[in-house]
Amino acid sequence: MKKLITLIFLGLHTFIQAQSNAQNEYIKQFLRFPLGAAVNPKYLSEKPLYRSLVASEFSSITAENHMKMVNIHPEKDRFDFSKGDEIIGFAQSTKSRVHGHTLVWHNQTATWMKEFQGDQQAWENMLKNHIQTVVKHYQGQIAGWDVVNEAFLDDGTLRPSIWSEHIPDYIAKSFVWAHEADPRALLFYNDYGQDGKPKKMEAILNMVQEFKKRQIPIHGLGLQMHISIQSKNEEIKEVIQQSAATGLSIHFSEVDVAVNPKNNPDFVLDDQVNLKQIEKFKLLFSSFAQLPASQQYGITFWNVGDQDSWLRGFFKRPKEYPLLFNEAYQRKAAYQEVMDFFKKK
Ligand code: G3I
């Protein structure tokens, strides 16, 4: 019986989806905040469907990889803005906002940075030069930056990295340097997996409190929201509430909802799994919609169609379907659910 109801439900959705496609309705029309996608410039230029979908469905764009150190600053005296500029050009042509990702991270640093030799002052000069050159290049074109990404471990301690090793207080310094370079850009601290990791969340909240006292310019918190159908709703709601209580802008910055987190090779995407994923998407959107309007920076998906997801590419999980659009770039049932929720509001 339950299965029958589920099937009717999904069938109805497909029908409604066809209707709303015909009416050219898009979720973004009904939102009071930007809806974003992380993009790959190669797909933008090589996959027409991908390109048109990003243009029509999203109002904010993040570079998935091409503004990171390894790509944008490949040699000590050479920056490569070509792919980042391509993304900016595309965003401008579609009137989308651009979110910058990411200035300082332990991962995807350039080889020359890992091999860098020098005293503390030399390290500071190197990082300051990186941050300020990139931020100035995009001044006026990028609304906000993930200044520092993933600086804390799950136990709340500072993550060991070339930055924490060579530059005391590197997080605060990075925010100050970014702010000097573009005083109008919103500056975010971005991290993953705060739900169910109270120590990590506490470390982030303590940092925000301390920055406020020291007048370090921080304007927003990025909650990446790489969650799964097994994530606990209460834990998700709690970290959203705790983050919002800081008064900073909130960005669900890298959303995906994994359906096969253990990479089971025999996994089958059935209706029950679909329903669980729909519930998680609805939870994220409805929780975000409840935040004060002034704190709603936006919701960004970590790429577009299921086959574009880092969970397939980076993690090599072929049977993963974590996004809002399927492999044919069609809207999933969740799309209509989310749109209906906002249409009724
Ligand atoms: O561009 C090269 C290509 O030339 C080469 O042939 C290929 C061979 O493996 O690698 C390509 O680079 C890969 C790159 O993605 C582009 O596809 C890198 O190996 C791979 O490491 C890189 O993975 C990225 C990952 O960050 C690195 O940690 C993912 O695409 C990207 O989605 C992911 O994004 C991060 C966020 O920045 C921060 N939060 C977590 C999130 C997921 O890990």
Side-chain angles (χ1 to χ4, degrees), residues 219-260:
H219 311 111
L221 286 177
L223 289 95
Q224 295 182 8
M225 294 294 185
H226 292 294
I227 62 170
S228 86
I229 54 172
Q230 286 159 11
S231 300
K232 298 200 171 63
N233 291 357
E234 288 315 311
E235 292 176 349
I236 293 174
K237 285 186 202 163
E238 188 181 3
V239 296
I240 295 171
Q241 185 274 323
Q242 289 173 313
S243 304
T246 62
L248 299 183
S249 288
I250 303 298
H251 186 196
F252 293 174
S253 55
E254 305 185 11
V255 173
D256 41 36
V257 179
V259 291
N260 182 17

Side-chain angles (χ1 to χ4, degrees), residues 329-341:
Y329 292 121
Q330 283 163 341
R331 296 169 174 183
K332 293 188 185 170
Y335 186 102
Q336 187 66 40
E337 287 274 328
V338 171
M339 187 151 70
D340 287 347
F341 171 80

Side-chain angles (χ1 to χ4, degrees), residues 64-65 68 101 105 107-108 149-150 224 226 254 302 310 314:
E64 184 179 9
N65 284 299
K68 293 172 180 173
H101 175 82
W105 192 23
N107 210 346
Q108 289 180 290
N149 196 39
E150 304 172 6
Q224 295 182 8
H226 292 294
E254 305 185 11
W302 208 237
W310 69 293
F314 180 76

